Amino acid sequence: MKQKAILPKSFFRDHPLANISFARFSYFQMAELKQGTISEIYAKTSLSDLLPKERVEQIAAENERISNLQTEEDVIQALRKVKESFCRDAIVKRALEMEDTVLPLLLQRYQTNRVDFFIEGAAHIFARADVRYAEALFADYESIRSDYARAQACLVFAAKDMKQAIPLLLTEMNRLKTVTNREFRTDLSQAPLLALYVLNNEPF
């Protein structure tokens, strides 16, 4: 493929992926885990029996509330404020149901938001929405302020098979190597590197 020609033959040998990383986990959720799977597992197993009754009730109430959100601003606020992992499927589902109004606003907020839970949820939405929103994210990439948001965006480009992002991913891989994310204590450059593996059909 033409895009592969810009990479030296030894590139993937010289740049191995970490066996465990946030990038692997995020990409799996974006591209390989079917939307709604976590909710199905929660509903069809006895997982809820392992949680405190109060938390189970809170999850049910929050999912119900999310399913009835009416405006794009309501969805954005839920994405920013709701921290319960078992409610993320509901937020992603509602955002996609309101894609035409939610996604343009989400693109704007993604550029400046630094809340990790928001960034992760938004990236999952971009990965499952129409590709034109991922293309808009790519066009506005330089306006994204958070390095973690940039790393997640790189995974979105891989999930949407955006080979036009390969030159950017190479640049970001080298830049993010110099960035220290103190909260996650992780190598953010793993995200663009994993995306390069995906877009070049390299096994990982």
Side-chain angles (χ1 to χ4, degrees):
M1 293 174 62
K2 185 177 180 181
Q3 286 80 6
K4 279 192 175 184
I6 67 174
L7 299 178
K9 291 181 179 180
S10 61
F11 179 84
F12 295 104
R13 184 183 69 243
D14 294 340
H15 297 86
L17 281 167
N19 290 329
I20 299 175
S21 68
F22 85 93
R24 284 182 180 271
F25 181 70
S26 292
Y27 182 76
F28 174 75
Q29 288 186 309
M30 285 182 197
E32 299 181 26
L33 193 65
K34 181 182 176 182
Q35 170 61 27
T37 297
I38 300 300
S39 292
E40 289 179 9
I41 292 173
Y42 177 79
K44 293 180 179 180
T45 68
S46 59
L47 182 60
S48 61
D49 294 337
L50 303 177
L51 303 176
K53 181 180 178 182
E54 182 178 314
R55 184 178 175 190
V56 172
E57 292 174 348
Q58 289 176 344
I59 291 170
E62 194 63 38
N63 280 334
E64 178 66 20
R65 185 185 72 82
I66 291 168
S67 69
N68 291 314
L69 294 175
Q70 294 300 309
T71 71
E72 58 271 25
E73 186 63 44
D74 289 340
V75 175
I76 297 297
Q77 288 302 314
L79 191 61
R80 185 173 68 86
K81 293 180 178 179
V82 176
K83 307 299 183 184
E84 174 57 66
S85 58
F86 289 114
C87 293
R88 174 169 286 169
D89 277 348
I91 298 175
V92 173
K93 181 175 184 291
R94 190 62 180 141
L96 295 177
E97 290 170 346
M98 302 169 62
E99 184 173 301
D100 290 344
T101 56
V102 170
L103 269 293
L105 181 59
L106 189 61
L107 282 166
Q108 295 176 23
R109 301 292 174 83
Y110 193 81
Q111 293 179 6
T112 58
N113 198 286
R114 295 183 181 275
V115 178
D116 294 325
F117 194 85
F118 174 93
I119 290 167
E120 293 161 4
H124 292 169
I125 293 169
F126 289 131
R128 298 182 188 280
D130 189 280
V131 69
R132 69 180 184 274
Y133 296 109
E135 290 170 345
L137 188 67
F138 177 69
D140 293 336
Y141 186 85
E142 294 301 324
S143 298
I144 301 173
R145 297 180 186 176
S146 164
D147 285 315
Y148 187 56
R150 286 188 170 206
Q152 289 286 344
C154 291
L155 298 173
V156 172
F157 303 150
K160 302 305 271 187
D161 196 31
M162 292 173 57
K163 291 182 174 57
Q164 67 268 34
I166 288 177
L168 171 66
L169 294 170
L170 279 167
T171 298
E172 282 298 271
M173 183 192 75
N174 291 319
R175 187 187 72 81
L176 288 174
K177 283 180 181 178
T178 67
V179 174
T180 301
N181 186 309
R182 294 181 180 177
E183 181 177 353
F184 281 82
R185 296 194 179 96
T186 191
D187 181 358
L188 295 180
S189 70
Q190 284 290 301
L193 178 58
L194 186 148
L196 287 168
Y197 270 77
V198 172
L199 293 176
N200 284 273
N201 298 313
E202 288 290 329
F204 64 93

